[in-house]
Amino acid sequence: MAVSIQSEKAPPEEKNGKTRERRNRNDSVIDEAIAVMSEKGYAATSIQEIADRVGVLKGSLYHYFSSKEELLFRIIEKSHQDTSRISAEVGALDLPPLEHLLEHIRRTSEWFLRNRERAHIYFTEVRNLSGERHAEAIQWGRMFETDVSALVTAGQENGTIRDDLDQRLVTRYIIGTMNNLRSWPSRPGSKKQFGNDQIVDAAVTLIADSIRAGSD
Amino acid sequence: MAVSIQSEKAPPEEKNGKTRERRNRNDSVIDEAIAVMSEKGYAATSIQEIADRVGVLKGSLYHYFSSKEELLFRIIEKSHQDTSRISAEVGALDLPPLEHLLEHIRRTSEWFLRNRERAHIYFTEVRNLSGERHAEAIQWGRMFETDVSALVTAGQENGTIRDDLDQRLVTRYIIGTMNNLRSWPSRPGSKKQFGNDQIVDAAVTLIADSIRAGSD
Amino acid sequence: MAVSIQSEKAPPEEKNGKTRERRNRNDSVIDEAIAVMSEKGYAATSIQEIADRVGVLKGSLYHYFSSKEELLFRIIEKSHQDTSRISAEVGALDLPPLEHLLEHIRRTSEWFLRNRERAHIYFTEVRNLSGERHAEAIQWGRMFETDVSALVTAGQENGTIRDDLDQRLVTRYIIGTMNNLRSWPSRPGSKKQFGNDQIVDAAVTLIADSIRAGSD
Amino acid sequence: MAVSIQSEKAPPEEKNGKTRERRNRNDSVIDEAIAVMSEKGYAATSIQEIADRVGVLKGSLYHYFSSKEELLFRIIEKSHQDTSRISAEVGALDLPPLEHLLEHIRRTSEWFLRNRERAHIYFTEVRNLSGERHAEAIQWGRMFETDVSALVTAGQENGTIRDDLDQRLVTRYIIGTMNNLRSWPSRPGSKKQFGNDQIVDAAVTLIADSIRAGSD
DNA sequence: GATGAATGAGAATTCATTCAT
DNA sequence: GATGAATGAATTCTCATTCAT
């Protein structure tokens, strides 16, 4: 269901049957976990249900993770890695602040839309982690926010982003909007729904028009 | 249910000052439920925990609701009623579409911020309802969306709202932004945080600037 | 629902309103308890359900009995008293053994049919009593059996009842048959159903034909 | 359900004699459930008690059934299957109606006596089933009754069974008598008690003598 | 890797009973 | 007598996790 970002890398499937099978089942466990957890929420998701979908007995799942929480952590961790990488990639383009910010929004939003279910978990289930894992995930969230925040500040400083509104409010507005993209009307029901590109374009346009300096 | 005939006699309340805990536990139950559920999520919230906070045994809570799900439903129902009323009040002002929409956003957003926890539950926990209750809550969500949607369309028709973006995307953008206000940095942590008014002002400004016709 | 045998005595209702109301509610509690318990069984019957039917709050029922078990005991006790009285009345007729037995069966069966629900409880719920009450009810059951047993023995001794079958088996057969009359097809569904008289007649005929000496 | 592939390899059971409790707990669970339920009644039987007797924790029982009601259903279902099979076997003997009926009574009664506890549950606990399961069990009861009913009618038509009594009353009388055999005095208390054979013989004799045509 | 029986803790819910008003 | 809130114990059921095979 969820399109694994794995597929963006070179497909490593040609190795041999044994490996592929293992890989596949491992992926399958994650994929099904993502599917169920994003639908029902982490707490309401039972290991049983994931096992049913994978086609394995409950006990067998523990060959693939050591605890339900660790499974959640891995899902969130992967989201962090992917979005971090995107952030770095955009950074490497060396654009001026506003353009940098908009490109960041664009690419990150694309990832969120391509990985709607995973992103949903990333945004809503961190509170179910505990201890070290919780602290780490919180830290990741802060990093994500900091990235945006720095760009907003830079834009305000060079006069391309409005500075009548506090940087923190603008940052939250941007993140919140990206966060919500997963619930914008998307293709699956087809008909008059929208593709990910259209949604991203609309979002970037709206955000740009609202934060650009001199827009009012 | 059965109305006591006692109440026809002289009220016997004057006996002594020791009012024997005649607190309205009903409100207390709802309040504590909202607090815990918004923090941990519905599924991860146990009746035990609510009971502990209220200060009664968990079995006693069943005097106030018939099931955990019904408790959730009541919380959501109240949110719907409040936001519905706000919607009606704004409608009575008879403003032109864009002004109407912005005032709607402003007042609804104020409610969301004043009732952050309840609003959070309203937006995230509907999926934990089942059957009839689920259907009804979904219906309420649609009504909420329809209200905004109609105003967007009207604004596009009278030329005050940009029409280069599909009405459904604009609607989702607006709702998503309101939906996220609860995570904007608010006073509680004080210091340099923001009051509800400031947050609402910023949100309305940002939304207005992004959807107004001719803004680009 | 269950026709109280009370009505066989002179109606004491004319006393005064207060007394009548109390009497009625007391009876009503017993009647509803019988109705629910015979339908669902003692263990599956909740005090709540009886209260609902009586139209009173659960807690109020404890003005009428001191515990659920005591309520059951009273129902069973009354059954015992009624059938005991019937047994005594038949005994006073001074009939020869077989005739005595058949008349005993006839009148007791009539009572069982007129008080189907109560009789059902009497036969099936004794095990839910405990301690002293259980012992007493067991004792009543033995008395009931002894009455029949003595008549069977006497009939075998004077040659009117077959003696090729052990007295204890014949006794159990008779009691078992009476015990089951409550499930014979009775009038309520009317149409081609049977009245209590017809059922009793058939039962007495069948029993008589099977236990009479020289019938084979 | 899933057959382990392990079994294709050499069976590793020869390791040591300590066969590690590979008892068929499935049967044990049913047996203990029958024992407790027949003694206390379904509603008064707790899962805890069954678990204690089986020697596992109560949660573990849910490997063997999915709900207490399903457990009851399985017990009743087995009774139905057994008695149905008996009915079919007797039918295959191709006897004239009265002989057919008596043989049916004889064999079914034997089963009831050999499976007293199960039979007791079969006869008294159907009301604790709900929905689909209840409907099915009710249907089985009707089939049982129909079998007897058809034989009575046939016997009346060929003149071997008395027809001065309505077929439905005779049918109920027969079923009621079989139903009650479980409380006839049996061996367990030994001494002067009776074996199942003697009880069946007596019952068949009594029934035969009461329903045969021309017996009065 | 996979099985499936078992665990142990905890969940929601029910319910007979009490008692101050 | 009646109320209704509260109790406390028990009940059914769920679930993450373990482990010998």
Side-chain angles (χ1 to χ4, degrees), chain C residues 38-41 43 127 162 165-166 168-169 172-173 176 180 183-185 192-194 205-206 209-210, chain D residues 38-41 43 127 162 165-166 168-169 172-173 176 180 183-185 192-194 205-206 209-210:
Chain C
S38 80
E39 188 196 331
K40 310 197 156 184
R127 65 183 167 191
R162 70 193 302 164
L165 296 177
D166 188 281
R168 282 165 296 170
L169 296 179
R172 262 290 127 198
Y173 159 72
N180 262 100
S183 60
W184 289 30
K192 296 286 210 70
Q193 302 294 64
F194 304 93
T205 302
L206 287 162
D209 287 347
S210 60
Chain D
S38 79
E39 187 198 331
K40 311 198 153 184
R127 67 180 165 191
R162 68 193 301 165
L165 295 177
D166 189 281
R168 282 164 295 169
L169 296 179
R172 263 287 129 202
Y173 158 73
N180 265 99
S183 60
W184 288 28
K192 299 284 213 68
Q193 303 295 62
F194 305 93
T205 302
L206 288 162
D209 288 346
S210 60

Side-chain angles (χ1 to χ4, degrees), chain B residues 53-70:
Chain B
R53 280 159 164 268
V54 173
V56 286
L57 293 184
K58 68 186 160 175
S60 308
L61 286 186
Y62 285 79
H63 277 287
Y64 299 98
F65 51 79
S66 63
S67 71
K68 190 183 167 189
E69 192 187 311
E70 199 232 13

Side-chain angles (χ1 to χ4, degrees), chain A residues 89-126:
Chain A
E89 287 166 6
V90 179
L93 299 179
D94 216 18
L95 300 167
L98 179 57
E99 282 70 25
H100 187 164
L101 174 61
L102 294 178
E103 188 61 19
H104 178 88
I105 294 170
R106 173 176 306 279
R107 296 206 194 177
T108 305
S109 295
E110 267 164 8
W111 187 91
F112 288 160
L113 287 171
R114 251 184 300 109
N115 300 277
R116 270 186 171 80
E117 297 182 325
R118 193 188 280 269
H120 183 48
I121 294 169
Y122 181 44
F123 278 122
T124 60
E125 305 289 8
V126 168

